[in-house]
Every structure is written in structure tokens, then in C-alpha cells.
Amino acid sequence: MSAREVILGRLRAALGEPRPVPAEVPRDYRPAGAVATDLDLLVDRLTDYRATVHRCADTGVTRVVDEVLGGRQAVVPPGLPRHWLPDSVVAVTDDDLPPGRIAAADGVVTAAAVAVAETGTIVLDGAPDQGRRIITLLPDVHVCVVRADQVVATVPDALARVTPGRPLTWISGPSATSDIELNRVEGVHGPRNLHVIIVD
């Protein structure tokens, strides 16, 4: 008799006969589409996480990007709409830039895949207008443009929109952590400053 058989025999004896029936798992959680989307709730959550939120029309994105990154250098994914970038920003397209070059940039401008109002979370999926995950982690400032029709109410709604297998990055505010004395330290695992532009 092998050690495996001895262990399994002891487990069977301990459980006794008849074996217990597994407990029923409750499945009454909220499905996708159960809650209406609330843009103001998203703004409230993002602000609570210390992100800076800007609301404007599509034609106002350039002005906001200029206010945040004007006169500085920003990494941009190859598929980012160029009309979002003002002439005052030196745009460096990520064509597999090395990490040192990305880290040297002042900021990054990306789009988003979806945003969750209830949790204040923005999801990036590596699409051409969002780029590689590394470009959103190394620069100090991340400007993320979210269209109003990309905002959903809950996490189940967001999961229904994303594609499994894509490189998903879930962002809830700027990067922050706390030391043992609970002092907040920002910028350890990503950008210290997150600017979210909600395009109404």
C-alpha cells in the first residue's frame, strides 16, 4: 500500500459514511446590467482615491492635456487619437521603447477599455490606444481619457465588456501604499499622479 492510499484511507475514515453533501453556494449576486450607470459616482470615487478628474467634450481633451503636460514630454501608445495631443506636448510614440526611455518621460497619455463607477476603477486592456502596461507604470503622470459610454456601473458589467486573455490593468487611483506606521507613500508601484478625463 502506497503512502497516498494510506492518507486517502485515513481521510475517508475520518469523514465517515455517508459522506457530507457540499454546501450550496449562493448565486444571488448582482449580474451585469442590474444597476444603472452613474458618472457622478465614478467622479466621486476617483476623487476619493486622489485622482484628478476633468470632464469635457472630445474637443476639450487637448486643452486638458495641455494643462497637465504642456511643455513636457509624454509617452503615447501608437493608436492614441492624435487630436487629443496639443502641440505643447512632446509626444514620444511607444514603438517598444526601452524601460529607461519610458521612465525618463514626464507622463503618459492613454485611452481606456472600460471604467467602473461603483469602484472608481479604470481598466486598460493593451489595445492600440492604451499600449503596453509598462508605459502606464513608469512615468510620474498618467493622463487617461475615458468616454462616457465606456463607464459601467459594476465590476460584473466591466467583466462582460473585456476580453478574457487580454493583458488587463485595473487602476483605482494613483499608485499608493502605506508603510508600517500607515504613512501613505505615493508613486511606488506606478504613477503618483492620475488625471482622468471623462469625455461627455
Side-chain angles (χ1 to χ4, degrees):
M1 182 178 286
S2 70
R4 179 179 184 274
E5 291 168 335
V6 171
I7 292 169
L8 289 176
R10 289 179 184 166
L11 289 172
R12 288 187 190 100
L15 290 174
E17 294 293 340
R19 297 212 176 115
V21 177
E24 185 69 27
V25 178
R27 304 285 183 194
D28 57 349
Y29 44 80
R30 291 179 301 175
V35 179
T37 303
D38 184 353
L39 277 176
D40 292 329
L41 179 61
L42 174 65
V43 171
D44 182 60
R45 295 289 195 261
L46 287 168
T47 304
D48 190 49
Y49 294 148
R50 299 188 185 182
T52 304
V53 180
H54 312 266
R55 293 179 80 165
C56 64
D58 187 66
T59 55
V61 172
T62 307
R63 176 188 50 79
V64 176
V65 174
D66 178 56
E67 290 172 4
V68 177
L69 288 171
R72 298 193 284 170
Q73 188 179 83
V75 176
V76 297
L80 188 79
R82 294 299 169 173
H83 70 274
W84 287 349
L85 299 173
D87 294 336
S88 62
V89 172
V90 179
V92 179
T93 303
D94 176 39
D95 51 2
D96 291 324
L97 293 170
R101 183 73 177 85
I102 297 168
D106 299 302
V108 59
V109 182
T110 71
V114 66
V116 184
E118 186 176 62
T119 61
T121 304
I122 297 167
V123 183
L124 310 179
D125 68 0
D129 60 355
Q130 297 153 55
R132 299 183 296 157
R133 180 177 291 146
I134 191 171
I135 69 171
T136 65
L137 297 177
L138 296 181
D140 191 52
V141 178
H142 182 184
V143 178
C144 187
V145 182
V146 179
R147 295 187 324 270
D149 64 352
Q150 292 178 305
V151 179
V152 297
T154 65
V155 172
D157 295 312
L159 291 173
R161 286 205 185 186
V162 297
T163 304
R166 300 279 306 167
L168 301 178
T169 303
W170 297 66
I171 303 167
S172 294
S175 168
T177 190
S178 295
D179 63 18
I180 196 165
E181 295 176 352
L182 299 181
N183 295 316
R184 183 181 169 99
V185 181
E186 297 178 345
V188 176
H189 308 109
R192 276 187 303 151
N193 301 287
L194 175 64
H195 290 261
V196 179
I197 304 174
I198 299 175
V199 180
D200 291 322

